[in-house]
Amino acid sequence: MEKPHEYPSPLRLLVIITLSIFATETVLMLIIRLLVVSETAEVFIDASLLTVLLFPLFYYLFYVPFRQAITDLQRSESALRASEKRLTTIMKTVGDGIIAIGPDSGIRFVNKELCDIFGYPEEELTGREVQMLMPEKYRALHSNGMERYLSSGQSNVMGHWVELEGLRKGGASFPIEINIRETILEDNEDKFFTAAVRDITHSKKLEEERESLIAELNQTNTELKDFVYVVSHDLKTPLRGIHNYSDFLREDLEGKLEEEQKKYLDGLSRAVCQAEEFINDLLDLSRVSRLEMVFKKINIGAFLKQVVESMNLPPDVKVIMKNDWPDMPAEPTLLRQIFLNLISNAVKFNRSPAKLLELGWNAKGDGFYELFVHDNGIGIEPRFFEKILKPFQRLHTAKEFEGTGIGLGIVVKAASRLNGSIRIESKPGEGSTFFVALPKEQKGEIK
Ligand code: ADP
């Protein structure tokens, strides 16, 4: 904006003008007295000359500064009007409701959005008490809060978004979000409070719907887990029965069976064994989901050594392990499930004459340890990485490699319950590495 013009001091102007008039008048009067005889002519000449002489003085000393002052005034007034118009437009069109109240709770300003939110026209709000926009139960709280703030400067609601209730014209209450700030105008120390107000009826409704959906989903999930557990568990008994009866049949008919009949009985036993294996894996998966978590501080190296020993791996398998391993909190049953599955897969999907497994770990920068199982087995095409991590997904027939397709599903579930994750690095024919990222720290009690 243009810098305002500087004006000479009025007192100085007055002194200069008075002295100028005095001096000019004296000189002129003396000259006229010497030259002119008639008194009337003298007065006329005197007045005319004085007017001509004083005109430039008046022009520069009065007219120019006066005109400048008027122009400046007009300019700043129109700038002020433009800025006010801009501000009012912003206030009116801003997405939030805006309300300003005085320390007496009287409403001084509302924007259109606020009027729309509460359903009042502007003139029904301005000048009235803000309590009219609150349900009854909040009115005393507001008055006490305002009193406390004015006397002690303490407030629970100032300066941040808080959820409250508003009262619409017609008496319906609804959820609002409000952010109140104190404003003091520099020039007249006029104090007032401005608040941005949002109607959160819609988002509250969405949130409630989301929460009830989550609750419903959790309920269904629990029911499903229970169902899988119960069905698998109950199926075990009849399957065991079929298994036993087919064994009895084979024993009783020993020597009397034709080759073809023997094949049928073998097929029956195989099918039952597969079903039993599947149910056991399904039960393991279900247990991993249902397990009550008890975190313990575990030295991973010692723990993995025990897991490997308990597996009684065939003699053509060599396991290499790092010497020093970190201690970390984990649920032992889940950790065991993870490595039992990864190690047995590393052995199973391996056609190398000398099967080599490497167990190791890396510290990741983001608060995780990455434990890994590397093998020199058949490898996996990267496009199948995502698929095989899902339960019941296999890349081979039971004839090629036996299995149920649940092992990696258990690994993923267990890692996720330990707040970790799984990733794979592999190429067909070049072995595979399964990485398990687990947090170095866990929330809650560690035994
Ligand atoms: P299963 O072992 O019963 O087949 P998994 O869920 O453990 O089920 O594995 C799913 C599939 O992932 C396997 O069928 C196999 O194709 C592939 N897979 C898992 N581990 C390895 C591995 N170490 N090397 C190569 N392929 C693997």
Side-chain angles (χ1 to χ4, degrees), residues 311-320 343-344 346-357 375-377:
M311 290 178 77
N312 268 330
L313 296 172
D316 60 340
V317 177
K318 188 167 180 219
V319 180
I320 309 169
I343 294 170
S344 61
V347 174
K348 181 163 61 169
F349 298 102
N350 199 327
R351 290 188 179 120
S352 301
K355 300 181 173 66
L356 202 63
L357 271 57
D375 64 59
N376 61 343

mmCIF file with all atom_site columns, all heavy atoms in Angstrom, residues 311-320 343-344 346-357 375-377:
data_model
loop_
_atom_site.group_PDB
_atom_site.id
_atom_site.type_symbol
_atom_site.label_atom_id
_atom_site.label_alt_id
_atom_site.label_comp_id
_atom_site.label_asym_id
_atom_site.label_entity_id
_atom_site.label_seq_id
_atom_site.pdbx_PDB_ins_code
_atom_site.Cartn_x
_atom_site.Cartn_y
_atom_site.Cartn_z
_atom_site.occupancy
_atom_site.B_iso_or_equiv
_atom_site.pdbx_formal_charge
_atom_site.auth_seq_id
_atom_site.auth_comp_id
_atom_site.auth_asym_id
_atom_site.auth_atom_id
_atom_site.pdbx_PDB_model_num
ATOM 1   N N   . MET A 1 311 ? 13.009 -81.482 16.241 1.00 0.00 ? 311 MET A N   1
ATOM 2   C CA  . MET A 1 311 ? 12.428 -81.894 14.952 1.00 0.00 ? 311 MET A CA  1
ATOM 3   C C   . MET A 1 311 ? 13.041 -83.186 14.401 1.00 0.00 ? 311 MET A C   1
ATOM 4   O O   . MET A 1 311 ? 12.520 -83.748 13.438 1.00 0.00 ? 311 MET A O   1
ATOM 5   C CB  . MET A 1 311 ? 12.594 -80.772 13.909 1.00 0.00 ? 311 MET A CB  1
ATOM 6   C CG  . MET A 1 311 ? 11.726 -79.573 14.212 1.00 0.00 ? 311 MET A CG  1
ATOM 7   S SD  . MET A 1 311 ? 11.958 -78.252 13.022 1.00 0.00 ? 311 MET A SD  1
ATOM 8   C CE  . MET A 1 311 ? 11.045 -78.850 11.629 1.00 0.00 ? 311 MET A CE  1
ATOM 9   N N   . ASN A 1 312 ? 14.149 -83.647 15.028 1.00 0.00 ? 312 ASN A N   1
ATOM 10  C CA  . ASN A 1 312 ? 14.808 -84.870 14.541 1.00 0.00 ? 312 ASN A CA  1
ATOM 11  C C   . ASN A 1 312 ? 14.973 -84.876 13.032 1.00 0.00 ? 312 ASN A C   1
ATOM 12  O O   . ASN A 1 312 ? 14.449 -85.756 12.325 1.00 0.00 ? 312 ASN A O   1
ATOM 13  C CB  . ASN A 1 312 ? 13.983 -86.103 14.937 1.00 0.00 ? 312 ASN A CB  1
ATOM 14  C CG  . ASN A 1 312 ? 14.466 -86.642 16.259 1.00 0.00 ? 312 ASN A CG  1
ATOM 15  O OD1 . ASN A 1 312 ? 15.650 -86.513 16.579 1.00 0.00 ? 312 ASN A OD1 1
ATOM 16  N ND2 . ASN A 1 312 ? 13.548 -87.207 17.033 1.00 0.00 ? 312 ASN A ND2 1
ATOM 17  N N   . LEU A 1 313 ? 15.671 -83.899 12.518 1.00 0.00 ? 313 LEU A N   1
ATOM 18  C CA  . LEU A 1 313 ? 15.795 -83.752 11.056 1.00 0.00 ? 313 LEU A CA  1
ATOM 19  C C   . LEU A 1 313 ? 16.633 -84.905 10.480 1.00 0.00 ? 313 LEU A C   1
ATOM 20  O O   . LEU A 1 313 ? 17.524 -85.427 11.159 1.00 0.00 ? 313 LEU A O   1
ATOM 21  C CB  . LEU A 1 313 ? 16.446 -82.409 10.727 1.00 0.00 ? 313 LEU A CB  1
ATOM 22  C CG  . LEU A 1 313 ? 15.621 -81.194 11.142 1.00 0.00 ? 313 LEU A CG  1
ATOM 23  C CD1 . LEU A 1 313 ? 16.415 -79.911 10.953 1.00 0.00 ? 313 LEU A CD1 1
ATOM 24  C CD2 . LEU A 1 313 ? 14.323 -81.121 10.352 1.00 0.00 ? 313 LEU A CD2 1
ATOM 25  N N   . PRO A 1 314 ? 16.346 -85.306 9.222  1.00 0.00 ? 314 PRO A N   1
ATOM 26  C CA  . PRO A 1 314 ? 17.114 -86.403 8.613  1.00 0.00 ? 314 PRO A CA  1
ATOM 27  C C   . PRO A 1 314 ? 18.603 -86.061 8.517  1.00 0.00 ? 314 PRO A C   1
ATOM 28  O O   . PRO A 1 314 ? 18.967 -84.872 8.524  1.00 0.00 ? 314 PRO A O   1
ATOM 29  C CB  . PRO A 1 314 ? 16.508 -86.526 7.213  1.00 0.00 ? 314 PRO A CB  1
ATOM 30  C CG  . PRO A 1 314 ? 15.337 -85.626 7.164  1.00 0.00 ? 314 PRO A CG  1
ATOM 31  C CD  . PRO A 1 314 ? 15.334 -84.749 8.345  1.00 0.00 ? 314 PRO A CD  1
ATOM 32  N N   . PRO A 1 315 ? 19.443 -87.093 8.414  1.00 0.00 ? 315 PRO A N   1
ATOM 33  C CA  . PRO A 1 315 ? 20.908 -86.837 8.453  1.00 0.00 ? 315 PRO A CA  1
ATOM 34  C C   . PRO A 1 315 ? 21.434 -86.027 7.268  1.00 0.00 ? 315 PRO A C   1
ATOM 35  O O   . PRO A 1 315 ? 22.492 -85.422 7.362  1.00 0.00 ? 315 PRO A O   1
ATOM 36  C CB  . PRO A 1 315 ? 21.524 -88.245 8.460  1.00 0.00 ? 315 PRO A CB  1
ATOM 37  C CG  . PRO A 1 315 ? 20.402 -89.189 8.207  1.00 0.00 ? 315 PRO A CG  1
ATOM 38  C CD  . PRO A 1 315 ? 19.110 -88.515 8.385  1.00 0.00 ? 315 PRO A CD  1
ATOM 39  N N   . ASP A 1 316 ? 20.675 -86.016 6.141  1.00 0.00 ? 316 ASP A N   1
ATOM 40  C CA  . ASP A 1 316 ? 21.187 -85.243 4.987  1.00 0.00 ? 316 ASP A CA  1
ATOM 41  C C   . ASP A 1 316 ? 20.897 -83.739 5.131  1.00 0.00 ? 316 ASP A C   1
ATOM 42  O O   . ASP A 1 316 ? 21.164 -82.970 4.218  1.00 0.00 ? 316 ASP A O   1
ATOM 43  C CB  . ASP A 1 316 ? 20.583 -85.775 3.678  1.00 0.00 ? 316 ASP A CB  1
ATOM 44  C CG  . ASP A 1 316 ? 19.063 -85.686 3.660  1.00 0.00 ? 316 ASP A CG  1
ATOM 45  O OD1 . ASP A 1 316 ? 18.477 -85.586 4.776  1.00 0.00 ? 316 ASP A OD1 1
ATOM 46  O OD2 . ASP A 1 316 ? 18.470 -85.694 2.568  1.00 0.00 ? 316 ASP A OD2 1
ATOM 47  N N   . VAL A 1 317 ? 20.370 -83.340 6.288  1.00 0.00 ? 317 VAL A N   1
ATOM 48  C CA  . VAL A 1 317 ? 20.078 -81.911 6.486  1.00 0.00 ? 317 VAL A CA  1
ATOM 49  C C   . VAL A 1 317 ? 21.120 -81.310 7.423  1.00 0.00 ? 317 VAL A C   1
ATOM 50  O O   . VAL A 1 317 ? 21.372 -81.831 8.519  1.00 0.00 ? 317 VAL A O   1
ATOM 51  C CB  . VAL A 1 317 ? 18.676 -81.728 7.115  1.00 0.00 ? 317 VAL A CB  1
ATOM 52  C CG1 . VAL A 1 317 ? 18.409 -80.254 7.384  1.00 0.00 ? 317 VAL A CG1 1
ATOM 53  C CG2 . VAL A 1 317 ? 17.600 -82.322 6.230  1.00 0.00 ? 317 VAL A CG2 1
ATOM 54  N N   . LYS A 1 318 ? 21.741 -80.196 6.963  1.00 0.00 ? 318 LYS A N   1
ATOM 55  C CA  . LYS A 1 318 ? 22.708 -79.516 7.832  1.00 0.00 ? 318 LYS A CA  1
ATOM 56  C C   . LYS A 1 318 ? 22.147 -78.135 8.167  1.00 0.00 ? 318 LYS A C   1
ATOM 57  O O   . LYS A 1 318 ? 21.712 -77.404 7.270  1.00 0.00 ? 318 LYS A O   1
ATOM 58  C CB  . LYS A 1 318 ? 24.038 -79.396 7.097  1.00 0.00 ? 318 LYS A CB  1
ATOM 59  C CG  . LYS A 1 318 ? 25.120 -78.884 7.994  1.00 0.00 ? 318 LYS A CG  1
ATOM 60  C CD  . LYS A 1 318 ? 26.495 -79.054 7.407  1.00 0.00 ? 318 LYS A CD  1
ATOM 61  C CE  . LYS A 1 318 ? 27.476 -78.491 8.426  1.00 0.00 ? 318 LYS A CE  1
ATOM 62  N NZ  . LYS A 1 318 ? 28.540 -77.786 7.845  1.00 0.00 ? 318 LYS A NZ  1
ATOM 63  N N   . VAL A 1 319 ? 22.134 -77.806 9.467  1.00 0.00 ? 319 VAL A N   1
ATOM 64  C CA  . VAL A 1 319 ? 21.610 -76.495 9.876  1.00 0.00 ? 319 VAL A CA  1
ATOM 65  C C   . VAL A 1 319 ? 22.757 -75.631 10.391 1.00 0.00 ? 319 VAL A C   1
ATOM 66  O O   . VAL A 1 319 ? 23.485 -76.032 11.301 1.00 0.00 ? 319 VAL A O   1
ATOM 67  C CB  . VAL A 1 319 ? 20.542 -76.653 10.981 1.00 0.00 ? 319 VAL A CB  1
ATOM 68  C CG1 . VAL A 1 319 ? 20.002 -75.290 11.390 1.00 0.00 ? 319 VAL A CG1 1
ATOM 69  C CG2 . VAL A 1 319 ? 19.416 -77.561 10.530 1.00 0.00 ? 319 VAL A CG2 1
ATOM 70  N N   . ILE A 1 320 ? 22.938 -74.462 9.777  1.00 0.00 ? 320 ILE A N   1
ATOM 71  C CA  . ILE A 1 320 ? 23.972 -73.524 10.245 1.00 0.00 ? 320 ILE A CA  1
ATOM 72  C C   . ILE A 1 320 ? 23.269 -72.404 10.995 1.00 0.00 ? 320 ILE A C   1
ATOM 73  O O   . ILE A 1 320 ? 22.257 -71.866 10.513 1.00 0.00 ? 320 ILE A O   1
ATOM 74  C CB  . ILE A 1 320 ? 24.737 -72.889 9.050  1.00 0.00 ? 320 ILE A CB  1
ATOM 75  C CG1 . ILE A 1 320 ? 25.230 -73.981 8.108  1.00 0.00 ? 320 ILE A CG1 1
ATOM 76  C CG2 . ILE A 1 320 ? 25.877 -72.024 9.526  1.00 0.00 ? 320 ILE A CG2 1
ATOM 77  C CD1 . ILE A 1 320 ? 25.743 -73.430 6.798  1.00 0.00 ? 320 ILE A CD1 1
ATOM 78  N N   . ILE A 1 343 ? 11.045 -74.282 8.982  1.00 0.00 ? 343 ILE A N   1
ATOM 79  C CA  . ILE A 1 343 ? 12.154 -75.253 8.861  1.00 0.00 ? 343 ILE A CA  1
ATOM 80  C C   . ILE A 1 343 ? 11.669 -76.522 8.145  1.00 0.00 ? 343 ILE A C   1
ATOM 81  O O   . ILE A 1 343 ? 12.357 -77.044 7.258  1.00 0.00 ? 343 ILE A O   1
ATOM 82  C CB  . ILE A 1 343 ? 12.733 -75.593 10.260 1.00 0.00 ? 343 ILE A CB  1
ATOM 83  C CG1 . ILE A 1 343 ? 13.390 -74.332 10.846 1.00 0.00 ? 343 ILE A CG1 1
ATOM 84  C CG2 . ILE A 1 343 ? 13.752 -76.721 10.171 1.00 0.00 ? 343 ILE A CG2 1
ATOM 85  C CD1 . ILE A 1 343 ? 13.800 -74.445 12.301 1.00 0.00 ? 343 ILE A CD1 1
ATOM 86  N N   . SER A 1 344 ? 10.458 -76.999 8.485  1.00 0.00 ? 344 SER A N   1
ATOM 87  C CA  . SER A 1 344 ? 10.006 -78.234 7.817  1.00 0.00 ? 344 SER A CA  1
ATOM 88  C C   . SER A 1 344 ? 9.773  -77.981 6.325  1.00 0.00 ? 344 SER A C   1
ATOM 89  O O   . SER A 1 344 ? 10.049 -78.860 5.504  1.00 0.00 ? 344 SER A O   1
ATOM 90  C CB  . SER A 1 344 ? 8.783  -78.836 8.503  1.00 0.00 ? 344 SER A CB  1
ATOM 91  O OG  . SER A 1 344 ? 7.740  -77.916 8.458  1.00 0.00 ? 344 SER A OG  1
ATOM 92  N N   . ALA A 1 346 ? 11.551 -75.824 4.552  1.00 0.00 ? 346 ALA A N   1
ATOM 93  C CA  . ALA A 1 346 ? 12.891 -75.697 3.966  1.00 0.00 ? 346 ALA A CA  1
ATOM 94  C C   . ALA A 1 346 ? 13.478 -77.073 3.695  1.00 0.00 ? 346 ALA A C   1
ATOM 95  O O   . ALA A 1 346 ? 14.248 -77.255 2.742  1.00 0.00 ? 346 ALA A O   1
ATOM 96  C CB  . ALA A 1 346 ? 13.800 -74.910 4.923  1.00 0.00 ? 346 ALA A CB  1
ATOM 97  N N   . VAL A 1 347 ? 13.095 -78.061 4.522  1.00 0.00 ? 347 VAL A N   1
ATOM 98  C CA  . VAL A 1 347 ? 13.576 -79.426 4.309  1.00 0.00 ? 347 VAL A CA  1
ATOM 99  C C   . VAL A 1 347 ? 12.735 -80.120 3.232  1.00 0.00 ? 347 VAL A C   1
ATOM 100 O O   . VAL A 1 347 ? 13.255 -80.769 2.329  1.00 0.00 ? 347 VAL A O   1
ATOM 101 C CB  . VAL A 1 347 ? 13.502 -80.225 5.643  1.00 0.00 ? 347 VAL A CB  1
ATOM 102 C CG1 . VAL A 1 347 ? 13.868 -81.691 5.405  1.00 0.00 ? 347 VAL A CG1 1
ATOM 103 C CG2 . VAL A 1 347 ? 14.408 -79.597 6.685  1.00 0.00 ? 347 VAL A CG2 1
ATOM 104 N N   . LYS A 1 348 ? 11.388 -79.896 3.335  1.00 0.00 ? 348 LYS A N   1
ATOM 105 C CA  . LYS A 1 348 ? 10.471 -80.613 2.426  1.00 0.00 ? 348 LYS A CA  1
ATOM 106 C C   . LYS A 1 348 ? 10.657 -80.187 0.964  1.00 0.00 ? 348 LYS A C   1
ATOM 107 O O   . LYS A 1 348 ? 10.783 -81.032 0.078  1.00 0.00 ? 348 LYS A O   1
ATOM 108 C CB  . LYS A 1 348 ? 9.033  -80.357 2.883  1.00 0.00 ? 348 LYS A CB  1
ATOM 109 C CG  . LYS A 1 348 ? 8.002  -81.059 2.031  1.00 0.00 ? 348 LYS A CG  1
ATOM 110 C CD  . LYS A 1 348 ? 6.643  -81.157 2.698  1.00 0.00 ? 348 LYS A CD  1
ATOM 111 C CE  . LYS A 1 348 ? 6.030  -79.814 3.013  1.00 0.00 ? 348 LYS A CE  1
ATOM 112 N NZ  . LYS A 1 348 ? 4.622  -79.901 3.429  1.00 0.00 ? 348 LYS A NZ  1
ATOM 113 N N   . PHE A 1 349 ? 10.681 -78.859 0.752  1.00 0.00 ? 349 PHE A N   1
ATOM 114 C CA  . PHE A 1 349 ? 10.758 -78.378 -0.639 1.00 0.00 ? 349 PHE A CA  1
ATOM 115 C C   . PHE A 1 349 ? 12.222 -78.243 -1.069 1.00 0.00 ? 349 PHE A C   1
ATOM 116 O O   . PHE A 1 349 ? 12.679 -77.172 -1.479 1.00 0.00 ? 349 PHE A O   1
ATOM 117 C CB  . PHE A 1 349 ? 10.008 -77.049 -0.784 1.00 0.00 ? 349 PHE A CB  1
ATOM 118 C CG  . PHE A 1 349 ? 8.549  -77.192 -0.467 1.00 0.00 ? 349 PHE A CG  1
ATOM 119 C CD1 . PHE A 1 349 ? 8.044  -76.775 0.758  1.00 0.00 ? 349 PHE A CD1 1
ATOM 120 C CD2 . PHE A 1 349 ? 7.690  -77.788 -1.369 1.00 0.00 ? 349 PHE A CD2 1
ATOM 121 C CE1 . PHE A 1 349 ? 6.702  -76.922 1.066  1.00 0.00 ? 349 PHE A CE1 1
ATOM 122 C CE2 . PHE A 1 349 ? 6.345  -77.943 -1.063 1.00 0.00 ? 349 PHE A CE2 1
ATOM 123 C CZ  . PHE A 1 349 ? 5.854  -77.518 0.156  1.00 0.00 ? 349 PHE A CZ  1
ATOM 124 N N   . ASN A 1 350 ? 12.957 -79.322 -0.901 1.00 0.00 ? 350 ASN A N   1
ATOM 125 C CA  . ASN A 1 350 ? 14.397 -79.289 -1.126 1.00 0.00 ? 350 ASN A CA  1
ATOM 126 C C   . ASN A 1 350 ? 14.831 -80.625 -1.735 1.00 0.00 ? 350 ASN A C   1
ATOM 127 O O   . ASN A 1 350 ? 14.664 -81.674 -1.120 1.00 0.00 ? 350 ASN A O   1
ATOM 128 C CB  . ASN A 1 350 ? 15.080 -79.076 0.242  1.00 0.00 ? 350 ASN A CB  1
ATOM 129 C CG  . ASN A 1 350 ? 16.491 -78.566 0.078  1.00 0.00 ? 350 ASN A CG  1
ATOM 130 O OD1 . ASN A 1 350 ? 17.152 -78.928 -0.891 1.00 0.00 ? 350 ASN A OD1 1
ATOM 131 N ND2 . ASN A 1 350 ? 16.926 -77.751 1.019  1.00 0.00 ? 350 ASN A ND2 1
ATOM 132 N N   . ARG A 1 351 ? 15.374 -80.550 -2.967 1.00 0.00 ? 351 ARG A N   1
ATOM 133 C CA  . ARG A 1 351 ? 15.801 -81.805 -3.599 1.00 0.00 ? 351 ARG A CA  1
ATOM 134 C C   . ARG A 1 351 ? 17.326 -81.893 -3.677 1.00 0.00 ? 351 ARG A C   1
ATOM 135 O O   . ARG A 1 351 ? 17.866 -82.788 -4.340 1.00 0.00 ? 351 ARG A O   1
ATOM 136 C CB  . ARG A 1 351 ? 15.203 -81.896 -5.011 1.00 0.00 ? 351 ARG A CB  1
ATOM 137 C CG  . ARG A 1 351 ? 13.703 -82.111 -5.001 1.00 0.00 ? 351 ARG A CG  1
ATOM 138 C CD  . ARG A 1 351 ? 13.186 -82.397 -6.394 1.00 0.00 ? 351 ARG A CD  1
ATOM 139 N NE  . ARG A 1 351 ? 11.770 -82.631 -6.404 1.00 0.00 ? 351 ARG A NE  1
ATOM 140 C CZ  . ARG A 1 351 ? 10.886 -81.903 -7.080 1.00 0.00 ? 351 ARG A CZ  1
ATOM 141 N NH1 . ARG A 1 351 ? 11.299 -80.877 -7.801 1.00 0.00 ? 351 ARG A NH1 1
ATOM 142 N NH2 . ARG A 1 351 ? 9.609  -82.203 -7.045 1.00 0.00 ? 351 ARG A NH2 1
ATOM 143 N N   . SER A 1 352 ? 18.026 -80.933 -3.003 1.00 0.00 ? 352 SER A N   1
ATOM 144 C CA  . SER A 1 352 ? 19.494 -80.976 -3.037 1.00 0.00 ? 352 SER A CA  1
ATOM 145 C C   . SER A 1 352 ? 19.971 -82.223 -2.274 1.00 0.00 ? 352 SER A C   1
ATOM 146 O O   . SER A 1 352 ? 19.390 -82.563 -1.240 1.00 0.00 ? 352 SER A O   1
ATOM 147 C CB  . SER A 1 352 ? 20.084 -79.747 -2.342 1.00 0.00 ? 352 SER A CB  1
ATOM 148 O OG  . SER A 1 352 ? 19.633 -78.592 -2.990 1.00 0.00 ? 352 SER A OG  1
ATOM 149 N N   . PRO A 1 353 ? 21.025 -82.879 -2.760 1.00 0.00 ? 353 PRO A N   1
ATOM 150 C CA  . PRO A 1 353 ? 21.517 -84.066 -2.046 1.00 0.00 ? 353 PRO A CA  1
ATOM 151 C C   . PRO A 1 353 ? 21.982 -83.701 -0.634 1.00 0.00 ? 353 PRO A C   1
ATOM 152 O O   . PRO A 1 353 ? 21.761 -84.450 0.307  1.00 0.00 ? 353 PRO A O   1
ATOM 153 C CB  . PRO A 1 353 ? 22.685 -84.555 -2.901 1.00 0.00 ? 353 PRO A CB  1
ATOM 154 C CG  . PRO A 1 353 ? 22.789 -83.635 -4.073 1.00 0.00 ? 353 PRO A CG  1
ATOM 155 C CD  . PRO A 1 353 ? 21.759 -82.566 -3.978 1.00 0.00 ? 353 PRO A CD  1
ATOM 156 N N   . ALA A 1 354 ? 22.639 -82.526 -0.495 1.00 0.00 ? 354 ALA A N   1
ATOM 157 C CA  . ALA A 1 354 ? 23.003 -82.047 0.857  1.00 0.00 ? 354 ALA A CA  1
ATOM 158 C C   . ALA A 1 354 ? 22.118 -80.841 1.146  1.00 0.00 ? 354 ALA A C   1
ATOM 159 O O   . ALA A 1 354 ? 22.315 -79.772 0.577  1.00 0.00 ? 354 ALA A O   1
ATOM 160 C CB  . ALA A 1 354 ? 24.463 -81.660 0.899  1.00 0.00 ? 354 ALA A CB  1
ATOM 161 N N   . LYS A 1 355 ? 21.133 -81.059 2.006  1.00 0.00 ? 355 LYS A N   1
ATOM 162 C CA  . LYS A 1 355 ? 20.174 -79.964 2.280  1.00 0.00 ? 355 LYS A CA  1
ATOM 163 C C   . LYS A 1 355 ? 20.783 -79.022 3.320  1.00 0.00 ? 355 LYS A C   1
ATOM 164 O O   . LYS A 1 355 ? 21.115 -79.450 4.419  1.00 0.00 ? 355 LYS A O   1
ATOM 165 C CB  . LYS A 1 355 ? 18.849 -80.531 2.776  1.00 0.00 ? 355 LYS A CB  1
ATOM 166 C CG  . LYS A 1 355 ? 18.203 -81.458 1.752  1.00 0.00 ? 355 LYS A CG  1
ATOM 167 C CD  . LYS A 1 355 ? 16.887 -81.979 2.249  1.00 0.00 ? 355 LYS A CD  1
ATOM 168 C CE  . LYS A 1 355 ? 16.136 -82.763 1.186  1.00 0.00 ? 355 LYS A CE  1
ATOM 169 N NZ  . LYS A 1 355 ? 16.754 -84.005 0.751  1.00 0.00 ? 355 LYS A NZ  1
ATOM 170 N N   . LEU A 1 356 ? 20.916 -77.779 2.898  1.00 0.00 ? 356 LEU A N   1
ATOM 171 C CA  . LEU A 1 356 ? 21.588 -76.804 3.756  1.00 0.00 ? 356 LEU A CA  1
ATOM 172 C C   . LEU A 1 356 ? 20.592 -75.742 4.220  1.00 0.00 ? 356 LEU A C   1
ATOM 173 O O   . LEU A 1 356 ? 19.959 -75.073 3.403  1.00 0.00 ? 356 LEU A O   1
ATOM 174 C CB  . LEU A 1 356 ? 22.706 -76.138 2.938  1.00 0.00 ? 356 LEU A CB  1
ATOM 175 C CG  . LEU A 1 356 ? 23.813 -75.506 3.762  1.00 0.00 ? 356 LEU A CG  1
ATOM 176 C CD1 . LEU A 1 356 ? 24.531 -76.559 4.579  1.00 0.00 ? 356 LEU A CD1 1
ATOM 177 C CD2 . LEU A 1 356 ? 24.785 -74.800 2.816  1.00 0.00 ? 356 LEU A CD2 1
ATOM 178 N N   . LEU A 1 357 ? 20.468 -75.598 5.538  1.00 0.00 ? 357 LEU A N   1
ATOM 179 C CA  . LEU A 1 357 ? 19.562 -74.577 6.097  1.00 0.00 ? 357 LEU A CA  1
ATOM 180 C C   . LEU A 1 357 ? 20.391 -73.576 6.884  1.00 0.00 ? 357 LEU A C   1
ATOM 181 O O   . LEU A 1 357 ? 21.299 -73.981 7.617  1.00 0.00 ? 357 LEU A O   1
ATOM 182 C CB  . LEU A 1 357 ? 18.562 -75.216 7.073  1.00 0.00 ? 357 LEU A CB  1
ATOM 183 C CG  . LEU A 1 357 ? 17.245 -75.747 6.496  1.00 0.00 ? 357 LEU A CG  1
ATOM 184 C CD1 . LEU A 1 357 ? 17.491 -76.767 5.421  1.00 0.00 ? 357 LEU A CD1 1
ATOM 185 C CD2 . LEU A 1 357 ? 16.408 -76.335 7.625  1.00 0.00 ? 357 LEU A CD2 1
ATOM 186 N N   . ASP A 1 375 ? 17.170 -71.641 2.700  1.00 0.00 ? 375 ASP A N   1
ATOM 187 C CA  . ASP A 1 375 ? 17.424 -73.031 2.288  1.00 0.00 ? 375 ASP A CA  1
ATOM 188 C C   . ASP A 1 375 ? 17.992 -73.067 0.876  1.00 0.00 ? 375 ASP A C   1
ATOM 189 O O   . ASP A 1 375 ? 17.953 -72.070 0.154  1.00 0.00 ? 375 ASP A O   1
ATOM 190 C CB  . ASP A 1 375 ? 16.130 -73.862 2.381  1.00 0.00 ? 375 ASP A CB  1
ATOM 191 C CG  . ASP A 1 375 ? 15.060 -73.374 1.417  1.00 0.00 ? 375 ASP A CG  1
ATOM 192 O OD1 . ASP A 1 375 ? 15.310 -73.362 0.199  1.00 0.00 ? 375 ASP A OD1 1
ATOM 193 O OD2 . ASP A 1 375 ? 13.954 -72.993 1.889  1.00 0.00 ? 375 ASP A OD2 1
ATOM 194 N N   . ASN A 1 376 ? 18.557 -74.230 0.534  1.00 0.00 ? 376 ASN A N   1
ATOM 195 C CA  . ASN A 1 376 ? 19.059 -74.415 -0.855 1.00 0.00 ? 376 ASN A CA  1
ATOM 196 C C   . ASN A 1 376 ? 18.097 -75.312 -1.629 1.00 0.00 ? 376 ASN A C   1
ATOM 197 O O   . ASN A 1 376 ? 18.509 -76.200 -2.363 1.00 0.00 ? 376 ASN A O   1
ATOM 198 C CB  . ASN A 1 376 ? 20.491 -74.968 -0.861 1.00 0.00 ? 376 ASN A CB  1
ATOM 199 C CG  . ASN A 1 376 ? 20.582 -76.333 -0.184 1.00 0.00 ? 376 ASN A CG  1
ATOM 200 O OD1 . ASN A 1 376 ? 19.669 -76.719 0.554  1.00 0.00 ? 376 ASN A OD1 1
ATOM 201 N ND2 . ASN A 1 376 ? 21.653 -77.072 -0.425 1.00 0.00 ? 376 ASN A ND2 1
ATOM 202 N N   . GLY A 1 377 ? 16.803 -75.073 -1.400 1.00 0.00 ? 377 GLY A N   1
ATOM 203 C CA  . GLY A 1 377 ? 15.779 -75.945 -2.002 1.00 0.00 ? 377 GLY A CA  1
ATOM 204 C C   . GLY A 1 377 ? 15.349 -75.523 -3.394 1.00 0.00 ? 377 GLY A C   1
ATOM 205 O O   . GLY A 1 377 ? 16.074 -74.812 -4.104 1.00 0.00 ? 377 GLY A O   1
#
